[in-house]
Amino acid sequence: MPPDHPAAAPRDARHDGWNTLRRFLPYLWPADRPALRLNIIGAVLLVLAAKAVTLALPFAYKRAVDSMALKASEAVFEIAFAFVLAYALGRFTGVLFDNLRNIVFERVGQEATRQLAEDVFARLHRLSMRFHLARRTGEVTKVIERGTKSIDVMLYFMLFNIAPTVIELTAVAVIFWFHFGAGLVAATALAVVAYVLVTRWITEWRTALREQMNRLDGQALGRAVDSLLNYETVKYFNAEPREEARYAQATRAYADAAIKSENSLGLLNIAQALITNLLMAGAMGYTVWGWSRGQYSVGDLVFVNTYLTQLFRPLDMLGMVYRTIRQGLIDMAEMFRLMDTEVEVRDAPGAPALVVRQPTLTFDNVVFGYEPDRTILKGLSFEVPAGHQVALVGPSGAGKSTIARLVFRFYDPWSGRILIDGQDIRAVTQSSLRAHIGIVPQDSVLFNDTIGYNIAYGRDGAGPEEVEAAARASALTGLIERLPAGFDTEVGERGLKLSGGEKQRVAIARTLVKNPPILLLDEATSALDTRTEQDILATLHSVAEGRTSLSIAHRLSTIADADTILVLNDGQLEESGNHADLLRRGGLYAEMWARQAEAVEEYGEAAQ
């Protein structure tokens, strides 16, 4: 088995902002989707229209207040009332434009999220078995979840908060310059710069805390998933308190980090409120002072208050927006690094599909190991002729299961070749290679779906008749007839609602549906009782007729009738021949046979 190394700690994502944005922009502005581009343009135009209306509102408000400051009359009433109606209509129009913008843009966000999620999912399936054995499933799914969820929020804030805020700041500066002079413009600019800097400094600190929270959250989820997937093992060893303690340790660490993060948010809000209210007090105080000198009207106080209130609204959100975008960049950078994980096993450029006329399998001086300092197969060579049933036996650690992984090209050998019908499997596409090979593994893992779904999974498009025929051939008919839901019976996560033998029979049926020219049987009957084992062996023998059949076995009695038996020891071929020949030689196979026969005899005596 390949060693299970812990996943490497994630690199610091805070410095990947621009690179992440460059990777992200094609999803926002897809070259092959002109309709989505039109949606973005329409949304931007609605943003500009909404901002123009918002900037005009304080003028209407000021005119209404100034009109009311005059001596009341019918004409003054009509003017003031008209400005009040204009103000109310403007507010409604701004809300209308904002919501139309959201409606127009919604498809863009959802399409970007969908496309990126599909790309990540496809990439994960292309990564090697080494990657999937080293990474924790809970942590990987959390990275994908956080990365894809951040897309829609980031799109919204980048297009509809940051850009409009810059436009509004510029417009307010111009209006203040002509209406109040350079002093108020300078004070507003100073306050905005101070606000942005304070927000950035504190948010950078909070970002580090957030990264720690993400790491601890992923650790807690990974421990929970591992523990629940190994529910039976936990029960076997009475380890519930141990598992609860491990999970509690992770959740306590996450809670401590979350407290620090929330406290830092309070500090940020206090600093932002201090800056904005100092500016409000100074600007309104300046207006009152100008009013006392006859420079400004009563409406100017409302005018400056309305503009600063409108300006503070996006500024108040700026901290949250900055934090969200920074966190989104961190989550997306982590997801993009997941996508950038090197694919260990690749198709050669322009590789053709495997064409099998004679399903022969050949190992030609194959050398391989999972780690550089540990060689598993040491120049292994053998050939399995078409239509022959060949068995692989040997002590644990001899490399039997490694051979199955190499045949499926989950790994590539360090040297030597693996040939199918004379074609090097590294020179053909992986998809066509695996389409010609079927396997019944020792540990049969099923999808959390129905029995019928799991059997039909053997071949895309398999019909009910093929599923039923495969179930009969794998001795599943009796079980299915006893179940009220029949083929629609749910098997549970990893097939845990079925017994070991039932799962194995479903796996055999799934392979029968695939109907491949080459069969790999990795301890295919290890979880079956003796009676069912004989039925399944008879089925497998009939299915193997005219095919290349390679059986990896521990119980020698299950492969005694194989055409050829290959005996592996320490990654090398030590013996080969049929059952009778190997017994006559008195070598490793004969020794293994004697030991198993002795164990069976002792078991029989104990039973008596």
Side-chain angles (χ1 to χ4, degrees), residues 279-296:
L279 174 60
M280 179 70 81
M284 295 183 68
Y286 174 77
T287 305
V288 170
W289 176 79
W291 168 79
S292 69
R293 297 170 61 87
Q295 296 177 352
Y296 305 126

Side-chain angles (χ1 to χ4, degrees), residues 491-538:
V491 302
E493 189 170 17
R494 298 171 62 87
L496 292 179
K497 290 184 178 180
L498 302 180
S499 69
E502 291 165 350
K503 285 199 302 180
Q504 203 79 328
R505 282 177 277 173
V506 171
I508 293 170
R510 182 166 56 188
T511 301
L512 293 176
V513 167
K514 186 175 184 180
N515 194 25
I518 299 173
L519 287 175
L520 290 179
L521 309 174
D522 187 0
E523 300 283 359
T525 60
S526 62
L528 304 179
D529 59 84
T530 303
R531 180 176 178 180
T532 305
E533 178 185 61
Q534 295 306 313
D535 294 338
I536 296 298
L537 284 174

Side-chain angles (χ1 to χ4, degrees), residues 64 66-82:
D66 283 339
S67 298
M68 294 176 66
L70 300 175
K71 185 177 179 180
S73 67
E74 186 68 23
V76 169
F77 164 74
E78 291 177 356
I79 294 172
F81 191 73

Side-chain angles (χ1 to χ4, degrees), residues 365-381:
N365 197 29
V366 172
V367 178
F368 173 75
Y370 297 107
E371 295 296 326
D373 57 350
R374 184 188 174 201
T375 304
I376 304 296
L377 302 181
K378 304 170 182 177
L380 180 63
S381 296

Side-chain angles (χ1 to χ4, degrees), residues 445-520:
V445 178
L446 306 182
F447 289 97
N448 189 2
D449 210 298
T450 65
I451 292 177
Y453 174 86
N454 278 280
I455 296 176
Y457 197 82
R459 183 171 53 82
D460 190 21
E465 298 82 4
E466 296 171 277
V467 171
E468 292 175 8
R472 284 194 301 271
S474 57
L476 268 174
T477 306
L479 168 68
I480 292 171
E481 289 176 349
R482 291 194 303 270
L483 296 171
F487 283 100
D488 294 327
T489 302
E490 296 282 341
V491 302
E493 189 170 17
R494 298 171 62 87
L496 292 179
K497 290 184 178 180
L498 302 180
S499 69
E502 291 165 350
K503 285 199 302 180
Q504 203 79 328
R505 282 177 277 173
V506 171
I508 293 170
R510 182 166 56 188
T511 301
L512 293 176
V513 167
K514 186 175 184 180
N515 194 25
I518 299 173
L519 287 175
L520 290 179

